[in-house]
Amino acid sequence: MPRNKRRIELVTEDERQFSKRARNHVSSRRIARDNSAFTQRRCVQLFREYTVPTEPDTLGPEGMEKFCADIGVEPENVVMLVLAWKMNARQMGFFTLNEWLRGFVDLQCDTIPKIQAKLDYLKSLLNDYNTFKSIYRYAYDFARDKEQRSMDIETAKAMLKLLLGKHWSLFSQFNSFLESSKYKVINKDQWCNIFEFSRTIVNDLSNYDVDGAWPVMLDEFVEWLTSERQAQPYRS
């Protein structure tokens, strides 16, 4: 993946199979316990296993794929977003040495087994409302093209699916709305309000205030969904 490519990519079938085998390999055995004391030196050495001599302080897309395979997690798994948030990583697909140390010093991880042992903990952070909200907000600046102020719609849909797809009952309808809408980008105010909408507005839209301070995008979504339901009254 070239450095200037920000958009979330669909992995090939071969890559999926490779990642699946890696996960099966991890799950088929008990993760080795590593009770050795954390050292920053060993943490740096681990980082260097995924970088190239020409850019020793930057872990790029190829190194990221190898790292994900080693820990048994697909690159598009939400746990990788949580890990990036822990590091406060700036750019999707890349970790700098400083970001790596920020995250793994906090997690006290300097070996692959130690990182594997923290995966469930990282996933559990999504269960806390305030932490999830922080990760959701972080995802906007993390995933958008840094040369643009807004996030392109394809990246936005992919990130919304990753974060809200399993937890928002109206996600599939909202995704369909975006696909049929005029919107080509999503700005940060819209992004943040989508989260608030997903957490506060019930499925039948009965608590939606038409005079509220929602962005026009969400007013349009409510109008679109209401029209869809009237046209197909038996559709949930």
Side-chain angles (χ1 to χ4, degrees):
M1 185 187 300
R3 177 181 292 274
N4 63 354
K5 194 166 186 180
R6 307 288 196 266
R7 185 170 296 175
I8 296 176
E9 300 289 350
L10 293 176
V11 297
T12 66
E13 185 60 28
D14 286 344
E15 288 170 334
R16 288 188 184 280
Q17 292 302 320
F18 174 77
S19 185
K20 183 178 180 180
R21 289 195 299 271
R23 294 198 315 275
N24 288 341
H25 176 66
V26 171
S27 61
S28 66
R29 61 179 175 80
R30 187 176 182 178
I31 294 174
R33 292 185 178 277
D34 186 344
N35 297 318
S36 60
F38 172 87
T39 70
Q40 185 165 308
R41 179 174 176 272
R42 190 161 55 226
C43 191
V44 173
Q45 288 176 336
L46 181 62
F47 177 82
R48 301 282 192 224
E49 292 182 18
Y50 302 103
T51 62
V52 295
T54 54
E55 293 187 277
D57 292 339
T58 301
L59 191 161
E62 290 185 5
M64 192 71 72
E65 289 183 9
K66 184 177 185 299
F67 171 67
C68 288
D70 285 351
I71 64 174
V73 172
E74 291 183 356
E76 67 272 23
N77 191 302
V78 70
V79 76
M80 292 303 296
L81 177 62
V82 180
L83 181 57
W85 170 79
K86 263 287 184 184
M87 295 181 180
N88 196 24
R90 181 178 181 275
Q91 182 178 351
M92 186 166 60
F94 297 83
F95 290 151
T96 67
L97 176 58
N98 286 337
E99 291 165 351
W100 178 275
L101 289 174
R102 184 184 299 123
F104 285 134
V105 168
D106 180 60
L107 293 169
Q108 291 289 284
C109 292
D110 54 11
T111 66
I112 292 300
K114 287 181 182 179
I115 296 171
Q116 291 171 327
K118 288 288 186 177
L119 294 179
D120 286 342
Y121 163 73
L122 290 171
K123 291 178 183 177
S124 74
L125 294 176
L126 295 167
N127 297 327
D128 177 79
Y129 173 83
N130 290 327
T131 302
F132 182 88
K133 184 175 182 178
S134 176
I135 293 169
Y136 179 90
R137 287 175 172 265
Y138 161 81
Y140 181 84
D141 289 319
F142 177 63
R144 71 177 173 84
D145 187 329
K146 300 304 181 291
E147 296 178 359
Q148 305 294 328
R149 295 187 63 183
S150 299
M151 182 188 291
D152 72 86
I153 197 67
E154 293 304 319
T155 299
K157 287 192 296 183
M159 294 302 291
L160 287 170
K161 181 177 181 180
L162 183 69
L163 289 159
L164 301 180
K166 295 181 179 180
H167 308 288
W168 183 21
S169 61
L170 295 178
F171 171 76
S172 62
Q173 291 94 326
F174 186 71
N175 189 64
S176 295
F177 162 74
L178 290 179
E179 289 180 345
S180 62
S181 75
K182 63 186 178 183
Y183 292 99
K184 304 300 181 184
V185 298
I186 287 182
N187 63 40
K188 194 163 189 176
D189 180 64
Q190 291 167 334
W191 177 263
C192 293
N193 274 281
I194 290 168
F195 171 80
E196 298 300 335
F197 186 99
S198 74
R199 290 301 181 104
T200 58
I201 303 303
V202 296
N203 188 277
D204 65 4
L205 306 176
S206 59
N207 64 338
Y208 184 80
D209 183 1
V210 294
D211 297 319
W214 297 107
V216 172
M217 170 187 279
L218 291 172
D219 289 331
E220 292 176 346
F221 168 60
V222 170
E223 292 176 3
W224 176 88
L225 182 56
T226 300
S227 177
E228 286 286 300
R229 286 174 169 174
Q230 289 174 347
Q232 302 181 43
Y234 298 106
R235 181 179 177 183
S236 60

